[in-house]
Amino acid sequence: MELDVSAPKVIPDGNESTKGDKPFASPQIPRTREAFPLRIVRKRLIRGLKLGLDTLLPKAILITLVLAICGVLVYRMSWPFLAAWITRNGIATPDIYERAIRYDAKNAEYHFVLGKIYNYSTQYLNLSRAGEEYEAAVGLNPDRAAYWLELSKYYEQTRNVERSRYAMQMALRTDPNYAQTHWAAANLYIRMDDLKAADLELRRTADLDTSYLTKVLDLAWRFYEDPHKIMSTYVPNTMEANRLALDYFVSRESEEGASLAWNRLKMFDTKPQEHFGYINYLVSLNKPHEAWQVFRNGQNPSASLLYNGSFETEPLNGGFDWRFSSTEAAEARRDTTTSKDGRASFLVAFKGNENVNYARVWHWLPVHKGRSYELTFWMKTEGITTNEGIFVEVDGKSSEKQVGSTHWQQFTIPFKATSDLVTVSLRRVPSKKFDNLLAGKVWLDAFSLAEVGQ
């Protein structure tokens, strides 16, 4: 039996023509009845529009339509421009802003300014209108904290306490990260005798901007005068905030508050000159050793009691470093060109124009009353005039006076401390001679202090 391997015949489905010998012809996709007519209509419509625009009447209609639309836009835009023009000079009179609102009724700023005019101007005072305009401003632009703040003030002055609080809360919600808003809220709550709410806003104010901290502390001190509460409630634990708190308590002469602030501040990397005020305050309380510890905070506690004795660093001119000042008669400064020990010394150059009573270079020494000490140092002079020479004095004891020119010489001054804080200074007393004007130079270096007889 043989297999028929010829191509199969296509059996017509009744819709195709069977004419011809094309059994493999691809079937044609039938067209829908809708697609063809719509395409024809669209082409004819576009062709008709193009032909129509070539005539005069359709062109005129189109131009008129465009001009009308432009006219409407210009009309609608011209009023805000006109309102901005009449308020350009910032003249605060009601008639100007009333006109501006007629031209641009949805401009919140015009309502806000008009409200302020009616609220604050003696000549145009109208509290009811002020309230209307403030409320219009926040209605048109509820995202401006300044609008809510003014509305809160308005409600407070009209004794509407609840509305005033609500407006303030809206201001805080609108601008939560602005210290001035929280400061205003704190003052409002204080006036409302709500100190708990005020405490939160005062702390938030200080957190956001430490420049407000002194004012915050003033308010807190007025109500509490409690250093522990003030430090824990209002002062952020940052270096700047603790430093400001320390200065504040020193100004208030609150030893307890200053101590609390210092105990927090000393944990930070600070410089001695940043707490000179506290050092001077402790000295005024007759606590020089506490002052010395504050000055030496973070440094070697076993270091010499005479800080910067060899002038290796520029004197801080405060605290327990050298203090000095220049005058028309003498210039005082650190000198890096001449030294006995290390890299520098201290120079005082007298100008020869005065009979000087000199004591403008000095240094505090924290000692113990009744104990014996020795102060050692080196001195050099050049051309010191008059019979009254230069000497160093400590706690009433002095070295030999130096006149003329001398090489580096070492001096030792033994003394018994008469208090817990003594002063070492460069001195010269006025001459009683006719030729008494002091000229010349003196250098000091390598100061040290040692307790003896232990």
Side-chain angles (χ1 to χ4, degrees), residues 369-387:
K369 182 179 179 180
R371 296 185 184 180
S372 297
Y373 297 86
E374 285 185 348
L375 177 72
T376 303
F377 65 96
W378 290 78
M379 180 190 293
K380 173 185 176 182
T381 61
E382 179 183 295
I384 296 296
T385 60
T386 78
N387 65 315

Side-chain angles (χ1 to χ4, degrees), residues 171-196:
L172 293 171
R173 185 183 306 173
T174 302
D175 198 356
N177 298 317
Y178 189 35
Q180 186 174 353
T181 306
H182 291 276
W183 173 250
N187 281 271
L188 173 66
Y189 296 148
I190 288 173
R191 292 191 294 270
M192 291 180 176
D193 201 26
D194 187 350
L195 297 185
K196 183 177 181 180

Side-chain angles (χ1 to χ4, degrees), residues 39-53:
R39 184 172 61 184
I40 299 300
V41 170
R42 186 164 55 250
K43 288 182 177 180
R44 290 179 179 178
L45 181 59
I46 293 173
R47 186 182 300 117
L49 288 173
K50 290 181 178 179
L51 292 173
L53 288 175

Side-chain angles (χ1 to χ4, degrees), residues 18 24 97-98 105 109 128 137 153 157 187 223 240 245 251 277 285 293 300 313 341 355 358 393 397-398 444-445 454:
T18 58
F24 289 100
Y97 283 91
E98 295 280 10
E109 186 66 16
S128 61
K153 293 178 186 178
Q157 74 187 63
N187 281 271
F223 285 96
E240 180 65 13
S251 70
L285 296 176
Q293 293 304 318
N300 185 357
T313 60
D341 180 28
N355 183 17
Y358 193 79
E393 182 180 76
K397 304 295 183 179
S398 59
L444 301 171
D445 201 359
Q454 294 181 339

Side-chain angles (χ1 to χ4, degrees), residues 2-3 26 122 198 215 243 251 254 264 286 309 320 433:
E2 295 181 359
L3 295 176
S26 299
T122 304
K215 294 192 290 187
R243 186 185 64 79
S251 70
S254 170
R264 281 172 41 168
N286 197 26
F320 283 85
K433 299 290 185 177

